[in-house]
Amino acid sequence: MSRLLTAALLTTLSPLAFSTPFDTCPSKAYLFQSKPVQVHSVNLATGLTTLITNDVGLTNEGINAVGFDNGTGDGEGFEHKYIYGFEKSRKKVVRLDKDFNADVIEVTGLPNFSFYVGDVYDRYYYLYGPGTGFYKIDLTPLDTDPDATLEAETISTDAPLGITDFAFHPGNNKLYAVKNTNGKLFEIDTDTGTATVIGNTGKTGTFGAGYFDVNGYYYISRNSNGDIFRIDLSDTDNINSQNVEAEHFAYGPNSNQNDGARCEDAPVIDEDSTIDFGDAPDSYKTLLDSNGPRHEINTGFYLGSVAPDSEGDGFVSPLDDNKAGLADEDGVGFVTALEIGKTALISVQASQVGRLSAWIDWNGDGDFEDSNERIVNNSLLSAGTNTLSVSVPSGATAGSSWSRFRFSEDGGLSFDGGATTGEVEDHPVTIMEDGSSLSHYPSESGYATVAFEDNWPKEGDYDMNDVVIRFRITETLNEDDEITRILIKGYLAAYGAGYHNGFAFRLPGLNRDDINAATTQSHNMVLQETNGLESISNDAIFIVSDDLKQKLPAGCMYYRTA
């Protein structure tokens, strides 16, 4: 009789061996605050904050000095992306995985101090203890040995700055911080710990969380009110005291005992954007780069009958035709004309009770900066249709201009900056002289189309797509039905020519001398230096472009010919 002898081997593995790294470099920032620790995701563009977890698997103490490790490939497509921080009760370094489970990492060489300033860059975890010292820890041993004990290297025992966070710039590998008491921006040398003043941001307070994005913008969050400010450090060759003023970027959560971490290689807005932007030309501050107005969607607060769509950035255009097919731009209607010196009626439809602010560029200078251009200031709207009375200033400039309407739950918005709820609608407007009227061709909202064949009537070449222009003509008439102003809007709809073709308008029956050249303007996205009048002709001819082929997108020989 034989016996089968069986044996069991019990193997104990480190918790670090089971931790799962982040899959990607996320666009969200991460905010650690409170006691016990809570981890929130923060959309820097709008300030929307979402609780991720209030249980990271450690004690009731908080975690601070956090930084995101971008990791590195090891030849098998695996990257070691984790968040590192400093746990207060144990005074230990911890590592958090993609599920925000924290495990303690043993580190030698650190003083007995509860660090609250830290960040990770190029596989090193940097810790700064004001009045204690500046240290760095090599994280790479953990890539191969989850139980490795790490060793801290002393950069400097002198750490004089009164800061509560710092962050690494992705473009020049340098470390930046804002001093709480005086708002000065410092650049910190990671080899010596020497701090150099760059300039004054103009903002003070306890900035417990700081983040960078891939474009080199530095974001700081103020604990007392949660305001998020942005500092433009995108030009790494020109960072000086003249360009470090912090601008208000979004409203975030007020907090204490907080710290922030973010993957600095990620854009602020990713392909999963849930943000609504404006549409006016960028002189009105529309694009994200200009701190344009933006709202978190899917919050139930919007204008019109259709909730806004998500966008990756503002869509800048001088033409309302680009908005004609957007059903979500239906919340604002101009009931009466905007006549200088009179009162106009505007209809605004709100999805529910909320706050509205609005602006009209009365002098047509391309911004909403003038004090009289805010036409609605944080007014409470009821759900449904609201009628607003707006006084058109006697000094308003007749002509084309733009308006901006922002609706949100809490209100208090400027014409730029982020908001956690609501919608922004930008609408082109025409400011008219008293007693004048408008005439449109082909209609108030439609566009006519002209198509040209530059080699007509060559056999086999008659597709009529060499130059295709869409345009609308709006005439302003006085009380005697005399035309006092002509507005021609249009755009290049297609270009299929091998030749270099220009384009111009001629106003029949008018001479060049009949045109007031001083008040005539020509725009190609931005105001041109000349009025566009052709100088060698007696006729009233306006040159749109001498060479439309030069207007095509880079790398395109033809444009929308299909």
Coordinates of all heavy atoms in Angstrom, one line a residue, residues 42-86:
V42 N -10.8 66.7 -9.2 CA -11.1 68.1 -9.5 C -11.0 68.4 -11.0 O -9.9 68.1 -11.5 CB -10.2 69.1 -8.7 CG1 -10.6 70.5 -8.9 CG2 -10.3 68.8 -7.2
N43 N -12.0 68.9 -11.6 CA -11.9 69.4 -13.0 C -11.4 70.8 -12.9 O -12.2 71.7 -12.5 CB -13.3 69.3 -13.6 CG -13.2 69.6 -15.1 OD1 -12.4 70.4 -15.6 ND2 -14.1 69.0 -15.9
L44 N -10.2 71.0 -13.2 CA -9.6 72.4 -13.1 C -10.3 73.4 -14.0 O -10.3 74.6 -13.7 CB -8.1 72.3 -13.4 CG -7.2 71.5 -12.4 CD1 -5.8 71.5 -12.9 CD2 -7.3 72.1 -11.0
A45 N -10.8 72.9 -15.1 CA -11.5 73.9 -16.0 C -12.7 74.5 -15.5 O -13.1 75.6 -15.8 CB -11.8 73.2 -17.4
T46 N -13.5 73.7 -14.7 CA -14.8 74.2 -14.2 C -14.8 74.3 -12.7 O -15.7 75.0 -12.1 CB -15.9 73.3 -14.6 OG1 -15.7 72.0 -14.1 CG2 -16.0 73.2 -16.1
G47 N -13.9 73.6 -12.0 CA -13.9 73.6 -10.5 C -14.8 72.5 -9.9 O -14.9 72.4 -8.7
L48 N -15.4 71.7 -10.8 CA -16.3 70.6 -10.3 C -15.4 69.6 -9.5 O -14.4 69.1 -10.0 CB -17.0 69.9 -11.4 CG -17.9 68.8 -11.0 CD1 -19.1 69.4 -10.3 CD2 -18.4 68.0 -12.2
T49 N -15.9 69.3 -8.3 CA -15.2 68.4 -7.4 C -16.1 67.2 -7.1 O -17.2 67.4 -6.8 CB -14.8 69.1 -6.1 OG1 -14.0 70.3 -6.4 CG2 -14.0 68.2 -5.2
T50 N -15.5 66.0 -7.2 CA -16.2 64.8 -7.0 C -15.5 63.9 -6.0 O -14.3 63.7 -6.1 CB -16.4 64.0 -8.3 OG1 -17.1 64.8 -9.2 CG2 -17.3 62.7 -8.0
L51 N -16.2 63.5 -4.9 CA -15.6 62.6 -3.9 C -15.3 61.2 -4.5 O -16.2 60.6 -5.1 CB -16.5 62.5 -2.7 CG -16.0 61.5 -1.6 CD1 -14.7 62.0 -1.0 CD2 -17.1 61.3 -0.5
I52 N -14.1 60.8 -4.5 CA -13.7 59.4 -5.0 C -13.8 58.4 -3.8 O -14.4 57.3 -4.0 CB -12.3 59.5 -5.6 CG1 -12.3 60.4 -6.8 CG2 -11.9 58.0 -6.0 CD1 -10.9 60.5 -7.4
T53 N -13.2 58.7 -2.7 CA -13.2 57.8 -1.6 C -12.9 58.5 -0.3 O -12.3 59.6 -0.3 CB -12.2 56.7 -1.8 OG1 -12.2 55.7 -0.7 CG2 -10.8 57.2 -1.8
N54 N -13.4 58.0 0.8 CA -13.1 58.5 2.1 C -12.4 57.4 3.0 O -12.4 57.4 4.2 CB -14.3 59.0 2.9 CG -15.4 58.0 2.9 OD1 -15.3 56.9 2.6 ND2 -16.6 58.5 3.3
D55 N -11.9 56.3 2.3 CA -11.3 55.2 2.9 C -10.1 54.7 2.0 O -10.4 54.0 1.0 CB -12.3 54.1 3.2 CG -11.7 52.9 3.9 OD1 -10.5 53.0 4.4 OD2 -12.3 51.9 4.1
V56 N -8.9 55.0 2.4 CA -7.8 54.6 1.7 C -7.1 53.4 2.3 O -6.0 53.0 1.9 CB -6.8 55.7 1.5 CG1 -7.4 56.9 0.7 CG2 -6.2 56.2 2.8
G57 N -7.7 52.9 3.4 CA -7.2 51.7 4.1 C -6.1 52.0 5.1 O -5.5 51.0 5.6
L58 N -6.0 53.2 5.6 CA -5.0 53.5 6.6 C -5.8 54.1 7.8 O -7.0 53.9 8.0 CB -4.0 54.5 6.1 CG -3.0 53.9 5.1 CD1 -2.1 55.0 4.6 CD2 -2.2 52.8 5.7
T59 N -5.1 54.8 8.7 CA -5.7 55.3 9.9 C -6.5 56.5 9.6 O -6.7 56.9 8.5 CB -4.6 55.7 10.9 OG1 -3.9 56.8 10.4 CG2 -3.6 54.6 11.1
N60 N -7.0 57.1 10.7 CA -7.9 58.2 10.5 C -7.1 59.5 10.3 O -7.7 60.6 10.1 CB -8.8 58.4 11.8 CG -9.8 57.3 11.9 OD1 -10.2 56.8 10.9 ND2 -10.2 57.1 13.1
E61 N -5.8 59.5 10.3 CA -5.1 60.6 10.0 C -5.1 61.0 8.5 O -5.5 60.2 7.7 CB -3.6 60.4 10.4 CG -3.4 60.4 11.9 CD -3.7 61.7 12.6 OE1 -3.5 62.8 11.9 OE2 -4.2 61.7 13.8
G62 N -4.6 62.2 8.1 CA -4.6 62.6 6.7 C -3.4 62.2 6.0 O -2.4 61.8 6.5
I63 N -3.4 62.5 4.7 CA -2.3 62.3 3.8 C -2.0 63.6 3.1 O -2.9 64.3 2.6 CB -2.6 61.2 2.7 CG1 -2.7 59.8 3.4 CG2 -1.5 61.1 1.7 CD1 -3.1 58.7 2.5
N64 N -0.7 64.0 3.1 CA -0.4 65.2 2.5 C 0.9 65.0 1.6 O 1.3 63.9 1.4 CB -0.1 66.3 3.6 CG -0.6 67.6 3.2 OD1 -0.4 68.2 2.2 ND2 -1.4 68.2 4.1
A65 N 1.4 66.2 1.1 CA 2.6 66.1 0.2 C 2.5 65.1 -0.9 O 3.4 64.4 -1.2 CB 3.9 65.8 1.1
V66 N 1.4 65.1 -1.6 CA 1.1 64.1 -2.6 C 1.7 64.5 -4.0 O 1.8 65.7 -4.3 CB -0.4 63.8 -2.8 CG1 -0.9 63.1 -1.5 CG2 -1.2 65.1 -3.0
G67 N 2.0 63.6 -4.8 CA 2.5 63.8 -6.1 C 2.2 62.6 -7.0 O 2.2 61.5 -6.5
F68 N 2.0 62.9 -8.3 CA 1.7 61.8 -9.3 C 3.0 61.4 -10.0 O 3.7 62.2 -10.6 CB 0.7 62.3 -10.3 CG 0.1 61.2 -11.1 CD1 -1.1 60.7 -10.8 CD2 0.7 60.7 -12.3 CE1 -1.7 59.7 -11.6 CE2 0.2 59.8 -13.0 CZ -1.0 59.2 -12.7
D69 N 3.3 60.1 -9.9 CA 4.4 59.5 -10.6 C 4.0 59.0 -12.0 O 3.2 58.1 -12.1 CB 5.0 58.3 -9.7 CG 6.2 57.7 -10.4 OD1 6.8 58.3 -11.3 OD2 6.6 56.6 -10.0
N70 N 4.5 59.7 -13.0 CA 4.2 59.3 -14.4 C 4.7 57.9 -14.8 O 4.2 57.4 -15.8 CB 4.7 60.3 -15.4 CG 4.0 61.7 -15.2 OD1 3.1 61.8 -14.4 ND2 4.5 62.6 -16.0
G71 N 5.6 57.4 -14.0 CA 6.2 56.1 -14.3 C 7.1 56.1 -15.5 O 7.4 57.1 -16.1
T72 N 7.4 54.8 -15.9 CA 8.3 54.6 -17.1 C 8.1 53.2 -17.6 O 7.7 52.3 -16.9 CB 9.8 54.8 -16.7 OG1 10.6 54.7 -17.9 CG2 10.2 53.8 -15.7
G73 N 8.2 53.0 -18.9 CA 8.1 51.7 -19.5 C 9.2 50.8 -19.1 O 10.3 51.2 -18.8
D74 N 8.9 49.5 -18.9 CA 10.0 48.5 -18.5 C 10.2 47.5 -19.6 O 10.8 46.4 -19.4 CB 9.6 47.8 -17.2 CG 8.4 47.0 -17.4 OD1 7.8 46.9 -18.5 OD2 8.0 46.3 -16.4
G75 N 9.8 47.8 -20.9 CA 10.0 46.9 -22.0 C 8.9 46.0 -22.2 O 8.8 45.3 -23.2
E76 N 7.9 46.0 -21.3 CA 6.7 45.1 -21.5 C 5.4 45.9 -21.5 O 4.4 45.4 -21.4 CB 6.7 44.1 -20.3 CG 7.9 43.2 -20.2 CD 7.8 42.2 -19.1 OE1 6.8 42.3 -18.3 OE2 8.7 41.4 -18.9
G77 N 5.6 47.2 -21.8 CA 4.4 48.0 -21.9 C 3.8 48.4 -20.6 O 2.7 49.0 -20.5
F78 N 4.4 48.1 -19.5 CA 3.9 48.3 -18.1 C 4.5 49.6 -17.6 O 5.7 49.8 -17.7 CB 4.2 47.2 -17.2 CG 3.7 47.4 -15.8 CD1 2.3 47.1 -15.5 CD2 4.5 47.8 -14.8 CE1 1.8 47.3 -14.3 CE2 4.0 48.0 -13.5 CZ 2.6 47.7 -13.2
E79 N 3.7 50.5 -17.1 CA 4.2 51.7 -16.5 C 3.8 51.8 -15.1 O 2.7 51.5 -14.7 CB 3.7 52.9 -17.3 CG 4.3 53.0 -18.7 CD 4.1 54.3 -19.4 OE1 3.6 55.2 -18.7 OE2 4.5 54.5 -20.5
H80 N 4.7 52.3 -14.2 CA 4.5 52.4 -12.8 C 3.9 53.7 -12.4 O 4.6 54.6 -11.8 CB 5.9 52.1 -12.1 CG 6.6 50.9 -12.6 ND1 6.3 49.7 -12.1 CD2 7.5 50.7 -13.5 CE1 7.0 48.7 -12.7 NE2 7.8 49.4 -13.6
K81 N 2.7 53.9 -12.7 CA 2.0 55.2 -12.4 C 1.2 55.1 -11.1 O 0.3 54.3 -11.0 CB 1.0 55.6 -13.5 CG 1.7 55.8 -14.9 CD 0.6 56.2 -15.9 CE 1.2 56.3 -17.3 NZ 2.2 57.4 -17.4
Y82 N 1.7 55.8 -10.1 CA 1.1 55.8 -8.8 C 1.1 57.2 -8.2 O 1.8 58.1 -8.7 CB 1.9 54.9 -7.8 CG 1.8 53.4 -8.1 CD1 2.8 52.8 -8.9 CD2 0.8 52.6 -7.6 CE1 2.7 51.4 -9.2 CE2 0.7 51.2 -7.9 CZ 1.7 50.7 -8.7 OH 1.7 49.3 -9.0
I83 N 0.3 57.4 -7.1 CA 0.4 58.6 -6.4 C 1.1 58.3 -5.1 O 0.9 57.3 -4.4 CB -1.0 59.2 -6.1 CG1 -1.7 59.6 -7.3 CG2 -1.0 60.3 -5.0 CD1 -3.1 60.1 -7.2
Y84 N 2.1 59.2 -4.7 CA 2.8 59.1 -3.5 C 2.4 60.2 -2.6 O 2.2 61.3 -3.0 CB 4.3 59.1 -3.7 CG 4.8 57.8 -4.4 CD1 4.7 57.7 -5.8 CD2 5.3 56.8 -3.7 CE1 5.1 56.5 -6.4 CE2 5.7 55.6 -4.3 CZ 5.6 55.5 -5.7 OH 6.0 54.3 -6.3
G85 N 2.4 59.9 -1.2 CA 2.1 61.0 -0.3 C 2.8 60.6 1.1 O 3.5 59.7 1.2
F86 N 2.5 61.5 2.0 CA 3.1 61.4 3.4 C 1.9 61.3 4.4 O 1.1 62.2 4.5 CB 4.0 62.5 3.7 CG 5.0 62.3 4.8 CD1 6.2 61.6 4.4 CD2 4.7 62.6 6.1 CE1 7.1 61.4 5.4 CE2 5.7 62.3 7.1 CZ 6.9 61.7 6.7

